[in-house]
Amino acid sequence: MKIVVQVKLLPTAEQAAALRSTLHECNDSANWVSQVAFDRGVPREYELRKHTYAELKARGLGAQAAQHVIKKVRDAYTTLHANIKAGNLGKRRSKRRVRAESKPITFRAGAAQPYDDRCVSWQHDAGTVSIWTTAGRLKGVRFTGSADQLKTLRGYRQGESDLIERDGAFYLLATCEVPEAELNANPDGFLGADLGVVNIATTSDGDVFAGRRLNRYRARQLRLRAKLQKKGTKSAKRRLKQRSQRERRFAADTNHVISKRIVAEAERTSRGIALEDLQGIRSRVRLRKPQRAAVHSWAFAQLGQFLAYKARRAGVPLVFVDPAYTSQQCFECHHIDKRNRASQARFRCRSCGVVAHADLNASRNIARKGEAVWNAGRESRVPAPA
């Protein structure tokens, strides 16, 4: 299983200048290659290399760096065409799709630049890397990370690493091939998890991970952004830039903590995990304007991804179920009625009269559906011989 480990570089002032210059030169060259590809109808990578490789070498890029720049551009166009084909950019004549198709792809000055083992080498004992730059090879560039990150990096790093600059700091994103634990093929039931905004996750065991703290933090950040944008001074713009990634990091940390606890509980009790398939929820759900910011800023997909890869590392089965009627169906008698959901937090069955927390009732329905999906996937659909 591939995961990405991010470590922070701690370069000196001279090393930082060389790294920044390298990223700017590589991405400036990528913009030129993108223009060539756009003018020539985005040819295959081999043909694109024939038109651009010599010029990239003349610009001062090394052989491997030039190859990675060309591949990065071609991969970006491949992703764009896949999104267009999948309809992610709208219909044929929509403004968003026309805008994407009418101009070449551009790369930010600090965008990621791939490095292979010829361009970067790791000295784990010393905590340093040796990395190629346009100013020559930099040796002894220090890096840091958490103990778990450094352990994973030392034991499982394999493949490319990406150099990026974010808010004046440099990071290396290393690809690691981590072995998966043996899958528990006979789980003792399933742990259902209902995802939401008021409560980020509620499990069928009754554990509630409230979103009150995260929602308060987001509301405060929204007020601060509005205040700084209204002020409009240079100092306010600088503060806005500093705060731009804080909410994202805070939400990601919250999702990591929640997913780790859910997977640990499922592993401890030898159960699987069942989640609702919430793909495309933003386009399906109709909301009032005040509710849109809360729903559209909440990372449903991110929490699902964290749960998926942590479950794979622990050998815990994970299934996604149809979310239809999970909040309207009674777990006890299976009666479905829209009026069963008395309020956001209260569930009262119109048939059997059971009263429960709405999210807990939904999570138990998800657990039951997850077990049914898992058993259906294991059953043979071939008829027995007569």
Side-chain angles (χ1 to χ4, degrees):
M1 176 181 65
K2 285 185 171 60
I3 65 170
V4 176
V5 172
Q6 175 181 283
V7 295
K8 185 177 182 179
L9 298 182
L10 304 173
T12 63
E14 293 78 8
Q15 292 171 340
L19 292 172
R20 184 171 293 108
S21 176
T22 299
L23 277 180
H24 289 187
E25 181 61 35
C26 288
N27 286 301
D28 184 57
S29 299
N31 287 329
W32 174 76
V33 174
S34 178
Q35 183 66 58
V36 173
F38 183 78
D39 294 339
R40 294 181 174 273
V42 192
R44 293 178 180 272
E45 185 179 336
Y46 178 75
E47 185 181 350
L48 184 60
R49 189 180 296 122
K50 290 194 299 183
H51 295 296
T52 58
Y53 181 75
E55 174 63 23
L56 292 177
K57 290 283 290 180
R59 286 172 173 243
L61 299 186
Q64 291 301 115
Q67 300 279 13
H68 284 304
V69 165
I70 296 169
K71 187 176 186 299
K72 178 171 76 169
V73 172
R74 191 62 187 84
D75 288 346
Y77 276 101
T78 300
T79 302
L80 174 63
H81 292 160
N83 283 326
I84 291 173
K85 186 176 181 180
N88 296 335
L89 298 179
K91 298 181 180 179
R92 181 178 295 274
R93 295 183 180 179
S94 66
K95 290 183 179 180
R96 188 181 178 192
R97 178 167 172 175
V98 169
R99 186 167 59 249
E101 293 177 322
S102 61
K103 59 182 180 180
I105 293 174
T106 57
F107 298 85
R108 295 178 293 103
Q113 173 62 21
Y115 278 75
D116 58 20
D117 287 341
R118 300 181 189 180
C119 300
V120 60
S121 59
W122 301 77
Q123 295 81 46
H124 296 285
D125 292 333
T128 61
V129 295
S130 172
I131 189 168
W132 172 88
T133 68
T134 53
R137 190 93 178 183
L138 294 182
K139 297 183 179 180
V141 182
R142 295 172 53 237
F143 67 87
T144 185
S146 68
D148 185 59
Q149 287 176 320
L150 298 180
K151 181 180 178 181
T152 303
L153 186 69
R154 179 190 285 266
Y156 305 112
R157 190 194 65 79
Q158 184 177 351
E160 294 182 351
S161 302
D162 289 349
L163 173 68
I164 63 170
E165 181 183 9
R166 187 187 301 138
D167 297 333
F170 294 92
Y171 300 88
L172 275 173
L173 278 61
T175 304
C176 297
E177 188 71 36
V178 179
E180 299 179 18
E182 184 179 356
L183 181 68
N184 179 13
N186 297 295
D188 187 16
F190 274 76
L191 179 67
D194 179 57
L195 309 184
V197 176
V198 176
N199 294 320
I200 297 177
T202 304
T203 69
S204 53
D205 286 351
D207 295 325
V208 179
F209 301 93
R212 196 178 303 112
R213 180 167 172 258
L214 178 57
N215 292 332
R216 282 202 303 261
Y217 182 84
R218 280 189 169 137
R220 179 172 178 269
Q221 293 297 318
L222 183 62
R223 291 195 301 269
L224 287 173
R225 283 198 303 269
K227 184 178 178 180
L228 291 170
Q229 287 168 352
K230 185 178 180 179
K231 200 167 187 179
T233 62
K234 287 186 178 180
S235 176
K237 291 178 181 178
R238 185 171 64 250
R239 294 289 299 276
L240 276 171
K241 187 176 180 181
Q242 292 172 351
R243 290 184 173 275
S244 61
Q245 300 295 330
R246 288 187 182 179
E247 183 178 330
R248 181 188 61 81
R249 292 196 298 267
F250 187 86
D253 179 70
T254 301
N255 285 337
H256 270 300
V257 171
I258 292 172
S259 59
K260 185 176 181 179
R261 288 181 59 182
I262 292 175
V263 171
E265 179 62 19
E267 183 181 15
R268 185 185 68 82
T269 56
S270 299
R271 287 181 291 177
I273 298 174
L275 297 175
E276 292 175 301
D277 183 5
L278 298 175
Q279 187 174 6
I281 187 173
R282 288 183 173 88
S283 60
R284 295 199 310 266
V285 177
R286 301 183 66 177
L287 301 165
R288 298 184 181 92
K289 191 173 182 179
Q291 297 173 311
R292 292 173 192 166
V295 171
H296 289 274
S297 63
W298 198 87
F300 291 99
Q302 186 186 69
L303 180 55
Q305 290 169 358
F306 288 172
L307 283 166
Y309 92 81
K310 291 180 192 295
R312 288 175 62 188
R313 290 191 68 177
V316 174
L318 185 141
V319 295
F320 290 90
V321 303
D322 185 359
Y325 307 112
T326 54
S327 63
Q328 300 175 15
Q329 184 177 27
C330 176
F331 174 75
E332 296 291 342
C333 68
H334 303 168
H335 174 69
I336 298 175
D337 192 328
K338 187 176 181 179
R339 297 173 297 173
N340 284 348
R341 186 75 179 260
S343 65
Q344 185 278 325
R346 188 167 180 266
F347 180 91
R348 183 179 183 279
C349 181
R350 294 274 175 166
S351 177
C352 67
V354 67
V355 178
H357 192 285
D359 293 340
L360 177 61
N361 177 78
S363 65
R364 288 176 174 172
N365 284 325
I366 294 168
R368 177 174 50 80
K369 283 189 173 185
E371 189 166 2
V373 169
W374 178 262
N375 292 331
R378 297 172 62 194
E379 291 175 359
S380 173
R381 298 304 184 204
V382 179

